[in-house]
Amino acid sequence: MKYQSFNEEIIRLVGGKENIQAVVHCMTRLRFTLKDRTKANTEELKALDGVIDVVSNNVAYQVIIGTHVSEVHAELISMLGLTPSSDEESKIKEKKNPLKAAMDLLSETMTPVIEPIIASGLLAGFLSLFSITGLISVDSPTYQLLDSIRSAVFFFLPIFIAMSCAKRLKASPYLAVALAVTLVSSSINDVSGLSIFGIQLPQIVYANSFIPIILAVWFMGQLTVLLKKYVPKFLQYFLNPLLIMVICLPVTLLIFGPIGIWIGDGIGWFFEVLHNTFGSWIVVMLYAAFQPFLIMLGAGNFMMPLALNFVNKMGYDPIFLAAATISDLAVSGAMLGYFLRAKDSKQKQLFGTVSFSALMGVTEPAIYGAFIKFRRPFIAVMIGGGLGGLFAGLTNVKTYSIVWGLMGLPSYADNQDFSNLVFMIISVVIGFVTATISAYLLGIPQDEKETQTKDLSKETVPEKNSQLKKVPLNSVVEGNVVPLAEINDQAFSTGALGKGIGIVPTDAQIVAPVSGEVSAVFPTKHAIGIKTEQGIEVLIHIGIDTVELDGRHFDTIVEQGAMIERGQLLSTVDFAEIQKEGYDPTVIIVVTNTTDYLDVIPAAKESVFTDDECLTVIL
């Protein structure tokens, strides 16, 4: 058996045969369902020769192998005493921890809503700055009109939340918005003396809130599934929307509204006790130090609901938004330290770019593009962010608007609180400078694999007279381009599977980016491999975690071994249905043997058509 010793090590490092409930494979990775994940030695498994990376999330415990994973899997299930069919039948979905599931939902729901929140928060900051400097009077019509953007965004927050979380909770976005609009209407919002079916309703402010509408939309999703099951199909189009609204509104007013307020009050009480017992400084310090880890785990936005709750209840956030800003600036400082330390021009360009991005409040490119690879910047941010957060916590810095990042600093002077602004600026400077110095002193670790690749590349540089120097790869689908570092899958975003690009599709047809042989078609039809005559190995991965759809919504018409031409139709995909089931439709195209070539360069375009070049492989 070709991979026997390799599989023996994998079995040992995931906790032994007795710890494995099931194991299936995707296009590039083994997906384990483990009885106890704590028994798995993840770090040692990551270091195992032949393993690209290990990703542990709520989907599965995933060991990324590469495109030859099917061969590894075939031997692995044989060693485990399974067969491919029995393995598929025994596939067990792990149950989500309820708390983690709730936090995931909050984080995913807040992500699309952040855009209007950032706009309104930054506007509040600049208006505060303009009023302080006397450029605009608070009583002027101009100020009041511009400030209406901020007030409207937060007043109608339940509507944004309803639209954002409806699809994830199997509810109609339009019915969810209709319910949210009803809750914030003048006939219900903060109205006393209301009753329904003879039952008195408490006076509740639904504007600015988020927990009641999330609970209500969850109930709407459950009710939608139930009605589709029991209401005759010929009546569903007319009857289901009416039943959903007539049932959901009373249930929300009687149950979810009060529960949401209790939860909000409970969160406030918890942090009040924490503040009175230990001081909020410890939370500010820890969050500023460890935010990059939360972003890497996909939980970077979990603090947003907590910050919103603070602002709604207290008029300011004493913890999270200031800590997030300090952490972002510390990330920028760490990358500046690497920029100053780096000698290679490509590295300098990378560190300089991601440092500026983090300075503007977008840290994902730095975290996925540099932190995961070099790891030492995490330590620099823990030092710089921790010290900056400690100072902010001890001086009781308050964030008066839902805003973070460098551009939001003027908002800290709201209510004429100039000392608050000064303390925040000092905190940010501490975090930035300390992280810069720490990263510079920690240095850039030497990547042996990268060095070997560079040496090999120097030997294989084509001569000036060589006719073939590059191979262009066309887009596989029409859509909007997404940088690989921003894709919501760590195996791709870190570049572990090779360089490439992501495309958010606006068309249903997947076509061949280059001529060659179809080297693989995954049974669930969500991934296709192509090998060109030059030996370039291209992986087309349609959607994220869409292996779980088991081929639904995919109509793949090519088979393994087929010879194809550039632009030839490979598959037709119903992306609307994929999104309805809660999956990210982003199509990813990567060159899995990137290290065999001088470089793989993504095209600098915001959108592409199928005849547009999206990648260039330098031979």
Side-chain angles (χ1 to χ4, degrees):
M1 295 177 71
K2 185 178 178 181
Y3 298 102
Q4 182 173 352
S5 59
F6 179 57
N7 278 327
E8 285 174 350
E9 283 298 295
I10 290 178
I11 292 170
R12 178 180 69 84
L13 293 172
V14 298
K17 289 184 179 181
E18 63 282 357
N19 195 38
I20 301 173
Q21 281 185 308
V23 56
V24 293
H25 72 94
C26 181
M27 195 69 182
T28 58
R29 63 196 84 181
L30 296 169
R31 293 171 175 257
F32 287 90
T33 302
L34 302 179
K35 295 177 182 177
D36 184 358
R37 290 197 190 185
T38 60
K39 292 182 179 179
N41 191 333
T42 301
E43 291 307 314
E44 192 174 342
L45 188 56
K46 284 182 179 180
L48 182 65
D49 189 26
V51 171
I52 297 173
D53 202 356
V54 177
V55 178
S56 179
N57 57 28
N58 52 31
V59 176
Y61 188 85
Q62 304 172 62
V63 181
I64 304 168
I65 304 295
T67 52
H68 62 291
V69 68
S70 59
E71 300 174 30
V72 176
H73 176 261
E75 293 187 14
L76 177 62
I77 60 173
S78 175
M79 294 169 65
L80 293 171
L82 302 171
T83 64
S85 58
S86 66
D87 179 61
E88 291 295 330
E89 291 167 4
S90 65
K91 187 165 55 174
I92 303 169
K93 280 195 174 183
E94 293 180 292
K95 291 183 178 180
K96 284 187 180 181
N97 177 287
L99 179 60
K100 186 178 187 306
M103 295 305 294
D104 287 344
L105 174 63
L106 286 175
S107 179
E108 292 168 7
T109 297
M110 294 310 302
T111 299
V113 181
I114 285 178
E115 193 173 3
I117 287 177
I118 288 178
S120 60
L122 288 176
L123 181 59
F126 282 114
L127 285 176
S128 176
L129 180 63
F130 295 154
S131 65
I132 291 170
T133 55
L135 293 175
I136 300 178
S137 169
V138 176
D139 299 322
S140 70
T142 301
Y143 183 98
Q144 293 174 6
L145 284 172
L146 292 174
D147 190 54
S148 65
I149 297 175
R150 176 198 58 79
S151 59
V153 167
F154 291 107
F155 185 88
F156 294 111
L157 182 64
I159 299 173
F160 293 105
I161 296 293
M163 176 61 80
S164 179
C165 71
K167 288 183 179 180
R168 293 176 177 83
L169 296 174
K170 302 178 182 178
S172 163
Y174 300 100
L175 291 178
V177 167
L179 179 62
V181 169
T182 305
L183 293 175
V184 299
S185 66
S186 58
S187 57
I188 292 178
N189 182 58
D190 199 23
V191 175
S192 61
L194 293 177
S195 65
I196 189 167
F197 307 130
I199 304 172
Q200 282 296 123
L201 296 173
Q203 182 178 350
I204 295 176
V205 178
Y206 288 99
N208 304 304
S209 68
F210 62 93
I211 297 176
I213 193 62
I214 289 178
L215 296 174
V217 174
W218 168 81
F219 176 74
M220 181 181 284
Q222 302 300 309
L223 182 61
T224 300
V225 173
L226 195 66
L227 291 176
K228 283 182 179 179
K229 185 176 181 181
Y230 291 105
V231 174
K233 285 190 176 180
F234 69 93
L235 292 174
Q236 286 186 8
Y237 183 79
F238 302 99
L239 193 57
N240 282 16
L242 174 63
L243 290 174
I244 288 169
M245 293 301 294
V246 170
I247 294 172
C248 285
L249 180 60
V251 171
T252 302
L253 296 175
L254 289 167
I255 300 174
F256 298 130
I259 288 177
I261 300 304
W262 296 337
I263 292 174
D265 290 342
I267 293 171
W269 173 83
F270 172 76
F271 282 102
E272 184 179 347
V273 170
L274 188 68
H275 179 271
N276 294 335
T277 307
F278 302 102
S280 59
W281 60 269
I282 192 168
V283 185
V284 181
M285 178 183 70
L286 292 175
Y287 192 88
F290 291 100
Q291 181 181 243
F293 292 99
L294 294 173
I295 292 173
M296 187 178 66
L297 294 173
N301 295 327
F302 100 95
M303 61 86 181
M304 185 59 68
L306 302 177
L308 281 169
N309 186 72
F310 276 130
V311 173
N312 289 337
K313 297 289 181 183
M314 303 168 57
Y316 62 87
D317 169 27
I319 297 175
F320 294 104
L321 294 170
T325 297
I326 294 165
S327 182
D328 288 351
L329 270 293
V331 169
S332 177
M335 289 296 89
L336 177 62
Y338 265 23
F339 172 82
L340 297 173
R341 185 72 182 255
K343 296 180 180 178
D344 181 77
S345 59
K346 285 187 177 180
Q347 283 192 337
K348 272 190 173 294
Q349 183 178 2
L350 168 67
F351 298 141
T353 301
V354 297
S355 176
F356 180 77
S357 174
L359 191 69
M360 294 296 103
V362 182
T363 57
E364 284 80 359
I367 291 169
Y368 291 115
F371 277 51
I372 290 177
K373 180 178 181 180
F374 298 107
R375 299 185 182 181
R376 293 180 187 176
F378 282 113
I379 300 173
V381 173
M382 289 170 64
I383 297 170
L387 289 175
L390 175 62
F391 183 85
L394 292 174
T395 53
N396 296 314
V397 169
K398 303 176 182 68
T399 312
Y400 293 106
S401 300
I402 304 296
V403 63
W404 64 96
L406 192 65
M407 301 299 290
L409 288 180
S411 65
Y412 287 84
D414 204 5
N415 299 326
Q416 305 296 311
D417 193 351
F418 297 109
S419 61
N420 187 64
L421 173 62
V422 172
F423 289 142
M424 183 59 187
I425 291 174
I426 294 173
S427 302
V428 164
V429 171
I430 290 173
F432 181 84
V433 173
T434 306
T436 301
I437 295 171
S438 299
Y440 186 87
L441 294 178
L442 287 167
I444 305 172
Q446 183 69 30
D447 189 333
E448 294 180 7
K449 185 183 287 187
E450 183 178 315
T451 302
Q452 292 172 3
T453 302
K454 285 182 179 178
D455 293 341
L456 181 63
S457 299
K458 289 177 182 177
E459 295 173 5
T460 58
V461 173
E463 296 178 3
K464 291 182 180 179
N465 295 330
S466 175
Q467 294 180 351
L468 187 61
K469 295 184 179 181
K470 65 180 181 178
V471 176
L473 271 62
N474 285 1
S475 175
V476 298
V477 68
E478 293 181 10
N480 300 314
V481 174
V482 179
L484 204 63
E486 296 179 13
I487 289 173
N488 191 28
D489 187 311
Q490 189 176 337
F492 289 107
S493 63
T494 59
L497 293 175
K499 291 185 178 181
I501 203 167
I503 304 169
V504 179
T506 56
D507 188 43
Q509 294 189 334
I510 305 295
V511 302
V514 69
S515 300
E517 180 184 358
V518 177
S519 57
V521 177
F522 198 71
T524 53
K525 303 178 182 179
H526 75 292
I528 301 169
I530 300 172
K531 188 171 183 178
T532 72
E533 63 179 11
Q534 296 90 358
I536 301 169
E537 296 175 4
V538 182
L539 171 63
I540 305 168
H541 198 283
I542 307 168
I544 295 174
D545 288 329
T546 45
V547 63
E548 297 175 357
L549 293 172
D550 200 26
R552 294 195 307 278
H553 317 310
F554 294 89
D555 182 15
T556 301
I557 61 174
V558 293
E559 297 181 352
Q560 185 171 338
M563 301 302 296
I564 55 171
E565 298 294 326
R566 185 191 301 267
Q568 181 176 330
L569 181 64
L570 303 178
S571 180
T572 303
V573 185
D574 192 338
F575 288 108
E577 289 299 318
I578 287 175
Q579 287 182 286
K580 280 184 181 178
E581 296 207 31
Y583 292 89
D584 187 332
T586 303
V587 178
I588 306 161
I589 173 172
V590 295
V591 176
T592 56
N593 60 340
T594 292
T595 55
D596 293 345
Y597 304 100
L598 291 180
D599 205 353
V600 176
I601 304 171
K605 299 178 179 179
E606 293 184 358
S607 60
V608 288
F609 295 95
T610 50
D611 56 352
D612 289 340
E613 184 177 322
C614 72
L615 293 173
T616 302
V617 181
I618 309 298
L619 302 180

